[in-house]
Amino acid sequence: MPLDFTAIDFETANSSPASACSVGLVRVRGGEVVATAGWLIQPPPGHDEFQEWNVRIHGIRPQDVVSAATWADQFDRLCGFAGADVLVAHNAGFDLNVLRRAAEATDMLCPPYRSLCSLQVARKTYQLDSYRLPVAAAAAGFAEFSHHDALADARACAQIVIDAARRHGAADVFALADALSLRVTEPAVPALERAVA
């Protein structure tokens, strides 16, 4: 199986994980970036207040998303880009939680995505003083990018996994996870489905 995955990064408007205001997506096939996409999002109603702290981090302001697609309007586009890929993110728990919570906030069904955390991959691959995305990405040969721009961050995540797979001789994300004693996380199965199964 080739090194195929989609790297994803969200920026949020506030401390609510449902407050996605920007997404970056990078498709990797055979260890090469073949497609990228990124766009602004109107966060779901009730999660759409922009807090000063978040704005200071990513620079996205309420007026920037006025004409952006709503979470519900862009959800199919996001899922269509990702397909059935394993999703890679730096601190994947955060980004997958944003995906699930924003879907829940808009009564949408989130696909059961599997994920691999590039932060964990970096910790097992490089000897660094910090494993923040800019530092880990530089170790992977991807330096000088606009941190907290969702697309640039997703591209940096992709490079970490591509570089780590090369260093560890891993043919795909599952072999990479095995080589590093990590796991590709499977989505939680809802209690109702477990009971029926």
Side-chain angles (χ1 to χ4, degrees), residues 42-190:
Q42 282 186 41
H47 303 271
D48 51 358
E49 179 189 344
F50 279 74
Q51 291 177 345
E52 183 185 344
W53 171 255
N54 295 63
V55 172
R56 252 191 278 142
I57 289 172
H58 52 56
I60 301 167
R61 298 159 301 165
Q63 56 266 40
D64 296 327
V65 301
V66 167
S67 59
T70 64
W71 175 266
D73 287 341
Q74 64 82 52
F75 190 62
D76 285 346
R77 180 182 176 198
L78 189 162
C79 295
F81 189 101
D85 279 3
V86 172
L87 298 183
V88 166
H90 210 66
N91 189 6
F94 170 82
D95 293 282
L96 271 290
N97 196 35
V98 170
L99 187 55
R100 284 190 294 266
R101 293 301 178 90
E104 285 172 12
T106 51
D107 296 320
M108 307 192 86
L109 187 63
C110 185
Y113 287 114
R114 299 162 298 167
S115 64
L116 180 66
C117 182
S118 62
L119 174 59
Q120 293 177 357
V121 169
R123 284 181 173 147
K124 299 260 188 159
T125 301
Y126 311 115
Q127 295 294 318
L128 303 171
D129 293 331
S130 164
Y131 291 91
R132 290 179 60 249
L133 184 57
V135 179
F142 190 77
E144 302 300 320
F145 65 97
S146 182
H147 188 30
H148 294 300
D149 171 273
L151 181 53
D153 283 2
R155 183 67 185 82
C157 291
Q159 188 58 44
I160 290 167
V161 171
I162 291 167
D163 183 62
R166 182 185 54 77
R167 289 174 185 244
H168 296 287
D172 59 35
V173 290
F174 300 97
L176 177 60
D178 286 346
L180 300 177
S181 299
L182 298 173
R183 64 188 179 90
V184 172
T185 60
E186 296 289 338
V189 178

